[in-house]
Each structure stands twice: as structure tokens, then as C-alpha cells.
Amino acid sequence: MASRGGGRGRGRGQLTFNMEAVGIGKGDALPPPTLQPSPLFPPLEYHPVPLPSGEEGEYVLALKQELRGAMRQLPYFIRPAVPKRDWRRLPRELKIRVRKLQKERITILLPKRPPKTTEDKEETIQKLETLEKKEEEVTSEEDEEKEEEEEKEEEEEEEYDEEEHEEETDYIMSYFDNGEDFGGDSDDNMDEAIY
Amino acid sequence: MTQAEIKLCSLLLQEHFGEIVEKIGVHLIRTGSQPLRVIAHDTGTSLDQVKKALCVLIQHNLVIYQVHKRGVVEYEAQCSRVLRMLRYPRYIYTTKTLYSDTGELIVEELLLNGKLTMSAVVKKVADRLTETMEDGKTMDYAEVSNTFVRLADTHFVQRCPLVATTESSDPEPPPPAPTLVTNEKDMYLVPKLSLIGKGKRRRSSDEDAAGEPKAKRRKHTADNKEPIPDDGIYWQANLDRFHQHFRDQAIVSAVANRMDQTSSEIVRTMLRMSEITTPSSAPFTQPLSSNEIFRSLPVGYNISKQVLDQYLTLLADDPLEFVGKSGDSGGGMYVISILTSYFLTVSHLLSSFLSRFGSRCARIFRLVLQKKHLEQKQVEDFAMIPAKEAKDMLYKMLSENFISLQEIPKTPDHAPSRTFYLYTVNILSAARMLLHRCYKSIANLIERRQFETKENKRLLEKSQRVEAIIASMQATGAEEAQLQEIEEMITAPERQQLETLKRNVNKLDASEIQVDETIFLLESYIESTMKRL
């Protein structure tokens, strides 16, 4: 303790190496002490090259964004599959939908029902469109279950999207919540209507 | 494959094809060639998903397959081809400038779908064009076919390798994977198809929505049953040809910057003449006689033969060596040195990169490049920069590996005080380093863009919903007041947020495009230099 107190008086500020060799001469001001971490984005000294602008630049930009969107819509964009569900734990009505969809595939080809209300039209169009998409995919025997679950999931999500992009209909399901569909106008659509 | 490249490939695959394809693709890039079961096992995805993903990747020419002994098929990913996806907008835009909208759509369809038969392409493009035309007009198939033939003639689209035909009397079971044969002669041969028809317009909402889709579905399936005359002949976009075109453009603009418009036109003519004759990676074009050049000049340029000769001599004598003289027959044979042009572009790039550190740094760099080896003192003298600054900049560049030190000892014991230290620039390694930085920066740009979009996802969805509602209400003829009400669903600060988001995303996208141009130059330079060595 005594030596430490004494050490403060003598030999203070001595370093183990020669300061001049590093480049800090005697009497030079030391750099200011750093009180905070360095800024996240250090200020740019020189401006970067300007981005491509003008007709060509904007056209290529628009093309790029369009392509990005287009590729998501193509069948090459594979969405992650839905995990297999344990049917014992879920309410029965959800499972019936799966079977109904299978039946739907056959019934749609024979349109005997005259077109009723616009909501019906919309639902059939949506079903047709999702089924059409599915028809193009190659499915193996084992996969049918998974595919139907995917369809169900995708239908649930895509229903919502399709409603917005659906310009043909007068009514958008989420916007108008009339209780007409609740009872179901026809047997086939009963399960589809409840969202 | 460097980590930066793999990261970039992963981001690109994920954006364009989804998570599953990305996982499989990145795994293949990392581990090289592997059979199906090993892929499924290593990535932990189900076999069917792996199959689907591989189908997509093969369709888009990103993965190739090979049959090895014992009937095992191995798949290999092509990292460089994945990176080309960044350049798709540029390819499409180039086709637009050369062949107008029809050509643009043809190339776009080919790029989006990987491979297509000619009839499929023609049909799709005609349909798309019909939609944009006014009511009542339709696009004729013949016109689209003509553009397609022109694209094939100039080698912008090429045939995919064909399945090798085996005799049907072969009693052996079919091989697990077809062997694809590339027939060099037929690569650009367009099959004789008589495609008659017109583009179909997609039905608008006014018509009977319920009855129509059903009828269309049935007709659609009926159409598929017709035999396709060019079944099995698939076409793809020829990316090398596009690259050649970009390279030519770069050379012409470089000459125009250095000299004047006329000389750049001459160079452009020379390049056009050797478009098809010279393979894309050759260091020099075929020698062209000045008579030929004179004949092929575009009609608007009526300069006399002597003036042309003068220009050619001027170009050949230029120390930058864009054009070289290789003989005297036919009024003088001239070649364009592709490699030199690259070299110049790349060094220009590097020095402009260095202007990040200041224009003086760029000056020093150019100086060392020109003089090849310089001592510390000489640098200060030639560049006319005070010693302290010069030292500082040289060390900065050295630390970033743009400049390297060459030691030349005077004495056998390599004592530092008696050794020459010369600064020198190795363009190839500096180019490689810059390329690596470019990959990293594009990956950063893409990530940032995705981050920005994800942050504002809720807002984006809301605005999309509102737009859809407005569109549907407009279609059914709503009044102004109602539309106003709906528009006000998005508050003013939200609108501003959307604006900022849009601006940022645009900026990031534009930066990606710009960095991609740099990448193109650097990659071509490195490739052509490696081929020469």
C-alpha cells in the first residue's frame, strides 16, 4: 500500500515502449478520449456514384419488381407444406371438407345447378381456381392426404387473397358479413361458407 | 464457392422459388454432386418435396444431372447460373431495345419458365400482347413467330440439349435418366411450324362469370389433347449471347468516351460483323479487312474510304490498344482486342472504387497501375502529393489489398534498410477482391430490402386491401364520396410511411442493378483472363 501510494509520485505516465516509434511525438496532443461506441453508420466522406436514373433505369427497376412478383405466382414457387394433422383431435366438420372437395371435383364438371346468387358464383370460381391449380401438380398416392390438407390451408389463406383480387364479384366476403351463407344455399357449399 | 456467393444464391433462390427449393439448392451448392436419397437425408426434407424442388431447379437450368455407374443419378447445382438471376431484368430490357415488345415478352417468358417449346412461347406471348391491345384487336401468331425466328437467328435463344433417341427395339430397360445430347449445328434451327391462330383475350368481368369459367375449363383441357407439333424441342435464353452484347456495348461506349462518335460507330460495326463468327470468350475478334468494314457501315454514315482508313489507323495507334492491326491485305486487317478493353474497364472500375477514399487515392492507384512498380518516394514525386498524405493513402490501400508490396533485396540477408520496397498492382487479384465485395454488398442490399418489407408488412397488406376495395367499387360504379371514404381509411402518416418505404425499396433495387453491372464486368474480365492463362 505504501509503495502504491508512492508509485503515484514517481515514474508516473511511463510506458513499456518507446512512444516516438509509434508516431506520437513528445508534446503532440493525444487523440480525444472515446466516450461512446463508434457510430453505426460512419459519415461518408465522399458521395457514392449516383444510382441509375432516367428512362432506362426506371424501366429496368420496374421490370425487376414485376418479375419478383410474377415469380411468386408461378407454379415453380413451392410453398412450404402443411404438417399432417391428427384427425382425432380436431372437430369432425373440418375433416368433412376434405372429402367434400374430392366429391366437388367430379360434380363441377357437370354443372346442373343454375347460377344462384353472386356469393355462390364466387365460391365456385374460387374452388375451381384452387382445384385447377392443384390439377397441374403431380401428386402421388401417398401425397393425396397432404395435398388436400395443403389445399385446405391454402384455400383458407388464398380465399382471403382471392377475394380481394377478385374483380368480378360485387361483394367481398370479408367486407360484407351478411348471414346468408350461414344456412348454406346448397349442400355443397355449406362447409365452405363458415370463415 | 465462397461464403458470400452461397449466401447470395440462398437469398435469390428463396425470393424466387420459396424456402424448400432454397434449402435443396443451397445444400447442393455447398456439397457438390449428390444423389437423391442423400439429399433428402441430409437436408431432412421429405422425398417428395426434394423431388419437386429438383424438378423446379432442373427446369430452370440451375441443376444438372448425370448418370453414374450402377444406375445412380447425381445432381449438381450451378452456382454461377443462380447468380445470373440478378441480371434477368437487364436481359429483358436489352431485348426490348433490339426487338421491341414482342421480343421482350418472348425472352421474359423463357426466363420465367426456364425451358419452353416454341409453340407454347408463341401462344403465351400472343395472349399477353392481346390483353394489352385495344378491344377487338388480337395478336397474330405469325408475327410472334417471326420475332422468335429472328431471335434464334441472332442466337439470343437457343435449343436445349435433346434427349438422345434410342432404337425402340432395344430390349434393355430404359436408363434412369435420359442422356441429353447437344447438337451444335441445330442449336439455332427453328422447327418448321405453321402456327396459325390469334391471341386469346382473357374474359373481362362484364360477362357471365359463372358459366364462362366452367366452359373455359373444359375447352382448356380439350386444347391440351391436341398433338403439339414440336414436342420435345425446348428453347432457352442464350445468356452468353447477351453477355457478348453487353460487352460490345461497354467497348463501344468506352471508345466513344475516349474518342468521338464516329470512331465508336466504326467499332460498333466491327463488333456487329464478328458477332456470330467469334466465340464469346476469344481474346480477339476475327481480323476484318477495311473493305469489309466500309461495306458494312450503317447507311447513315457516309464517310469516304480514306476517312475510314484514317480513323482505323488512329484507333490502331492509340496507346490503349482497343483496335490492333494484324495485316495489310484487303486494305488493312483490324482486330478488336477484347481483353484490353476489359482490362481498361476493370482498372477504371477499381480506381473509381478508390475514389471512395478520395480522388488523390485514385490518382496514386492509376499511377502505380501505369508505371507497374514504384517506390515510395517516386509515388510522392509523380503524384505530386505531400509525403504524409501519400504514405497514409498507400497504407490504407495496402491494408485493403488493392496494392501490394514487392520486396527486392539488395543484400542476401534481406535487411530491411537495404531492400527496395516497390508498390505494385495486381489487377486480377484486386478484381477478385472487388467481386467478392460486390457479392457481399448485393446480399446486404437484398436482406435490407426484405427487412424493410417485413417491418411494414401490416401496412402494405392494408393498402393492398384498400386498393382492391376501391378497384371493385369502381368497377361497379360507385360515387366519388364513397371512394373518398375508402381512401381515407389510410391515414396521412401511414401514407407517408408507405411513401418512404416505396422510396427506400426503389433505391435498394436500383443499387442492386447497379452493383450487378459491376459484377458483370468483373466476372467477364476474370473469366477471359483465366482462359488466356
Side-chain angles (χ1 to χ4, degrees):
Chain A
M1 250 99 58
S3 58
R4 269 220 288 188
R8 240 190 290 135
R10 298 182 278 128
R12 188 172 148 192
Q14 268 177 9
L15 301 166
T16 50
F17 56 92
N18 187 5
M19 250 186 16
E20 277 175 14
V22 176
I24 312 170
K26 238 176 170 183
D28 264 357
L30 285 169
T34 22
L35 296 167
Q36 54 191 345
S38 48
L40 198 53
F41 294 109
L44 273 183
E45 287 172 356
Y46 303 95
H47 285 292
V49 182
L51 291 172
S53 58
E55 202 187 306
E56 181 184 337
E58 283 173 18
Y59 190 84
V60 181
L61 184 66
L63 249 183
K64 186 177 168 93
Q65 293 175 335
E66 208 184 288
L67 273 179
R68 238 200 335 259
M71 288 205 98
R72 291 190 86 96
Q73 303 300 323
L74 285 176
Y76 303 113
F77 193 95
I78 302 181
R79 290 168 204 275
V82 171
K84 247 179 146 53
R85 300 200 182 279
D86 187 1
W87 287 116
R88 296 170 295 201
R89 299 179 58 103
L90 293 171
R92 269 185 59 97
E93 54 190 9
L94 298 176
K95 191 166 186 195
I96 293 175
R97 274 185 70 191
V98 170
R99 276 201 239 113
K100 279 290 181 190
L101 278 172
Q102 265 189 310
K103 263 200 231 158
E104 227 76 74
R105 266 187 222 182
I106 314 165
T107 50
I108 276 171
L109 290 178
L110 316 160
K112 32 188 166 84
R113 296 177 287 114
K116 289 182 187 169
T117 63
T118 42
E119 281 99 358
D120 276 359
K121 265 193 243 171
E122 177 195 45
E123 280 154 14
T124 34
I125 295 165
Q126 284 161 358
K127 260 199 303 265
L128 284 170
E129 285 184 9
T130 40
L131 285 174
E132 190 66 17
K133 277 188 215 160
K134 292 309 151 222
E135 268 176 82
E136 287 171 32
E137 277 184 43
V138 175
T139 52
S140 60
E141 283 291 323
E142 309 120 29
D143 265 333
E144 254 185 21
E145 289 266 338
K146 230 196 285 185
E147 287 281 331
E148 284 158 3
E149 278 144 22
E150 266 182 52
E151 276 175 35
K152 178 175 66 98
E153 280 297 315
E154 284 197 30
E155 256 204 353
E156 282 179 1
E157 311 162 2
E158 277 176 10
E159 287 276 7
Y160 197 53
D161 289 345
E162 277 166 301
E163 282 160 11
E164 283 126 35
H165 301 308
E166 199 74 65
E167 284 160 7
E168 304 171 355
T169 58
D170 301 317
Y171 304 105
I172 298 179
M173 293 296 276
S174 60
Y175 194 55
F176 262 100
D177 189 23
N178 43 10
E180 269 181 49
D181 320 322
F182 204 80
D185 290 321
S186 66
D187 325 314
D188 290 338
N189 296 337
M190 186 166 71
D191 298 309
E192 311 288 330
I194 305 169
Y195 294 110
Chain B
M1 294 293 115
T2 62
Q3 281 301 322
E5 287 178 359
I6 298 181
K7 178 98 192 357
L8 187 52
C9 287
S10 139
L11 283 170
L12 286 171
L13 283 175
Q14 183 194 26
E15 242 187 357
H16 292 123
F17 296 116
E19 301 265 336
I20 301 177
V21 178
E22 181 249 332
K23 204 164 22 162
I24 311 287
V26 168
H27 177 78
L28 273 178
I29 294 178
R30 275 215 179 97
T31 52
S33 149
Q34 283 198 326
L36 179 64
R37 300 227 164 246
V38 180
I39 300 175
H41 178 263
D42 283 347
T43 53
T45 38
S46 73
L47 208 57
D48 305 293
Q49 299 207 321
V50 176
K51 287 182 198 169
K52 269 195 236 171
L54 281 173
C55 283
V56 170
L57 286 169
I58 292 176
Q59 169 77 15
H60 280 85
N61 306 316
L62 302 172
V63 159
I64 51 174
Y65 55 83
Q66 257 186 325
V67 186
H68 283 254
K69 51 185 185 285
R70 280 195 255 129
V72 174
V73 184
E74 289 202 345
Y75 302 92
E76 196 178 328
Q78 316 212 281
C79 180
S80 52
R81 181 63 179 79
V82 180
L83 294 173
R84 295 289 156 270
M85 291 179 73
L86 279 170
R87 223 167 277 159
Y88 282 1
R90 206 170 159 199
Y91 297 142
I92 299 175
Y93 180 72
T94 312
T95 329
K96 186 190 170 84
T97 53
L98 294 173
Y99 293 101
S100 87
D101 288 339
T102 324
E104 176 194 2
L105 285 181
I106 292 179
V107 171
E108 189 177 328
E109 285 295 324
L110 279 176
L111 284 173
L112 283 181
N113 287 292
K115 309 195 236 280
L116 282 177
T117 58
M118 180 171 165
S119 33
V121 172
V122 168
K123 190 160 170 304
K124 277 194 203 209
V125 171
D127 286 345
R128 272 179 81 169
L129 281 172
T130 311
E131 266 171 53
T132 58
M133 288 165 119
E134 303 132 15
D135 283 321
K137 284 217 226 146
T138 52
M139 188 73 185
D140 204 13
Y141 279 11
E143 215 176 303
V144 181
S145 306
N146 282 342
T147 321
F148 192 94
V149 170
R150 275 164 67 200
L151 278 170
D153 281 338
T154 42
H155 294 208
F156 277 109
V157 301
Q158 68 184 37
R159 272 207 214 179
C160 304
L162 296 167
V163 178
T165 47
T166 56
E167 296 91 39
S168 51
S169 58
D170 230 347
E172 292 172 13
T179 42
L180 297 175
V181 167
T182 326
N183 193 344
E184 283 292 332
K185 286 192 308 243
D186 287 341
M187 271 238 279
Y188 305 103
L189 200 61
V190 180
K192 298 265 181 300
L193 295 174
S194 57
L195 286 168
I196 20 170
K198 296 188 181 293
K200 293 193 194 45
R201 188 188 296 274
R202 208 171 35 171
R203 300 293 182 186
S204 57
S205 56
D206 299 332
E207 312 192 13
D208 188 15
E212 191 62 8
K214 292 192 193 130
K216 245 185 84 171
R217 295 293 181 269
R218 270 180 286 156
K219 202 160 65 138
H220 177 70
T221 44
D223 275 349
N224 282 344
K225 296 208 185 72
E226 283 172 15
I228 312 171
D230 62 344
D231 192 29
I233 305 180
Y234 288 90
W235 293 81
Q236 64 186 1
N238 184 5
L239 299 188
D240 278 335
R241 178 70 182 86
F242 279 105
H243 293 165
Q244 203 183 2
H245 188 262
F246 295 154
R247 189 201 67 199
D248 294 348
Q249 265 182 339
I251 294 178
V252 167
S253 65
V255 172
N257 280 338
R258 177 133 178 110
M259 305 182 119
D260 70 341
Q261 184 71 10
T262 321
S263 35
S264 75
E265 279 302 320
I266 297 176
V267 172
R268 196 203 301 264
T269 318
M270 286 173 74
L271 284 168
R272 205 181 316 135
M273 282 162 64
S274 35
E275 251 170 23
I276 306 187
T277 51
T278 319
S280 54
S281 47
F284 293 98
T285 59
Q286 304 281 55
L288 303 163
S289 74
S290 104
N291 293 332
E292 283 173 16
I293 302 175
F294 184 63
R295 271 189 299 235
S296 327
L297 275 180
V299 185
Y301 276 92
N302 30 356
I303 52 174
S304 68
K305 188 88 175 30
Q306 290 98 332
V307 177
L308 173 70
D309 279 336
Q310 278 177 351
Y311 265 113
L312 283 170
T313 331
L314 203 64
L315 278 168
D317 287 340
D318 190 84
L320 282 183
E321 287 178 46
F322 278 118
V323 176
K325 188 157 185 185
S326 77
D328 276 319
S329 63
M333 308 287 279
Y334 294 92
V335 295
I336 298 188
S337 159
I338 311 286
L339 202 59
T340 324
S341 328
Y342 272 143
F343 184 83
L344 294 164
T345 348
V346 169
S347 46
H348 170 72
L349 260 178
L350 284 168
S351 65
S352 53
F353 179 70
L354 279 176
S355 48
R356 209 153 68 97
F357 301 128
S359 59
R360 291 187 170 181
C361 226
R363 206 196 309 169
I364 295 179
F365 182 80
R366 279 225 192 92
L367 186 69
V368 179
L369 185 61
Q370 199 180 6
K371 303 270 188 182
K372 307 247 188 307
H373 294 277
L374 279 181
E375 258 190 343
Q376 167 85 41
K377 187 103 183 21
Q378 287 173 312
V379 170
E380 291 162 22
D381 289 337
F382 281 124
M384 294 179 284
I385 293 176
K388 201 159 163 199
E389 271 185 49
K391 215 186 289 194
D392 187 35
M393 287 177 188
L394 278 169
Y395 289 163
K396 224 191 296 188
M397 288 196 280
L398 197 63
S399 67
E400 308 255 347
N401 282 328
F402 282 110
I403 284 191
S404 42
L405 269 180
Q406 173 91 28
E407 293 175 8
I408 303 189
K410 285 191 240 188
T411 55
D413 63 351
H414 288 253
S417 58
R418 290 189 289 271
T419 324
F420 284 117
Y421 288 100
L422 297 176
Y423 289 102
T424 177
V425 171
N426 182 352
I427 279 276
L428 192 59
S429 68
R432 277 219 175 91
M433 216 191 51
L434 192 54
L435 187 62
H436 190 248
R437 281 178 96 128
C438 284
Y439 287 142
K440 271 202 227 169
S441 46
I442 288 206
N444 288 345
L445 285 169
I446 296 181
E447 280 219 41
R448 178 74 199 189
R449 179 169 40 83
Q450 287 180 343
F451 171 76
E452 293 267 332
T453 322
K454 201 155 61 152
E455 285 266 298
N456 296 296
K457 192 166 142 177
R458 197 205 117 254
L459 193 57
L460 272 173
E461 279 174 5
K462 180 172 174 189
S463 79
Q464 274 174 354
R465 271 206 304 274
V466 167
E467 271 173 34
I469 296 176
I470 292 185
S472 69
M473 292 189 76
Q474 267 178 345
T476 58
E479 309 128 17
E480 270 302 312
Q482 281 180 313
L483 288 176
Q484 205 79 1
E485 248 183 72
I486 310 279
E487 274 189 25
E488 271 162 30
M489 269 170 66
I490 304 188
T491 63
E494 281 183 337
R495 225 176 266 281
Q496 207 162 21
Q497 211 180 338
L498 274 175
E499 274 299 313
T500 326
L501 172 67
K502 189 162 172 199
R503 212 177 40 232
N504 288 346
V505 168
N506 280 352
K507 258 200 230 174
L508 290 167
D509 267 332
S511 321
E512 275 177 51
I513 296 174
Q514 198 174 40
V515 179
D516 180 62
E517 285 179 19
T518 313
I519 286 185
F520 167 69
L521 275 175
L522 289 170
E523 272 180 354
S524 327
Y525 171 70
I526 292 175
E527 194 188 314
S528 49
T529 317
M530 296 308 292
K531 283 230 171 69
R532 202 166 61 117
L533 288 175

